[in-house]
């Protein structure tokens, strides 16, 4: 199996944005896991669709800071600037 290493040349704004997205992803995973475990503990049969609905309809409105970060902006940042790659 082969692997390819890619080094990104990020400016300070891009580093900050990447760090925020990593923290956001980690927070979403941990929050989703806690919702899943709580539903299972309460006797429900959780699935990804229901979890996504709860997260979108209840968790996001309670946390307005989540509107500033989206899963797609990270991709746009990386692919819109090919000079980031070494």
């Amino acid at each position: 199996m082969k692997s390819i290493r890619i080094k990104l040349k990020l400016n300070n704004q891009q580093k900050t944005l990447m760090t925020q997205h990593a923290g956001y992803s980690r927070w979403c995973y941990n929050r989703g896991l806690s919702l899943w475990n709580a539903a299972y503990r309460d006797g429900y049969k959780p699935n990804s669709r229901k979890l996504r609905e709860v997260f979108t309809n209840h968790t996001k409105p309670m946390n307005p800071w989540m509107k500033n970060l989206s899963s797609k902006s990270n991709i746009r940042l990386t692919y819109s600037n090919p000079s980031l790659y070494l």
Side-chain angles (χ1 to χ4, degrees):
M1 180 179 271
K2 280 188 159 182
S3 65
I4 298 173
R5 285 184 102 170
I6 296 174
K7 183 176 181 178
L8 300 176
K9 295 180 181 179
L10 303 173
N11 61 29
N12 287 336
Q13 181 184 10
Q14 292 166 333
K15 285 179 189 176
T16 302
L17 194 58
M18 293 290 256
T19 304
Q20 287 175 345
H21 281 287
Y24 176 64
S25 296
R26 192 170 38 252
W27 187 88
C28 288
Y29 175 81
N30 290 335
R31 178 71 177 154
L33 184 61
S34 69
L35 289 171
W36 185 281
N37 289 336
Y40 186 77
R41 195 173 35 252
D42 293 340
Y44 297 105
K45 291 186 178 182
N47 63 41
S48 60
R49 186 183 59 78
K50 289 179 184 176
L51 184 64
R52 195 174 19 244
E53 286 176 5
V54 169
F55 194 81
T56 302
N57 297 328
H58 300 287
T59 305
K60 276 191 170 184
M62 291 189 309
N63 300 297
W65 58 269
M66 294 172 78
K67 292 180 183 175
N68 297 335
L69 299 170
S70 90
S71 60
K72 295 186 175 115
S73 62
N74 192 5
I75 294 168
R76 280 194 300 256
L77 167 74
T78 305
Y79 291 113
S80 66
N81 192 353
S83 66
L84 294 175
Y85 298 103
L86 181 62

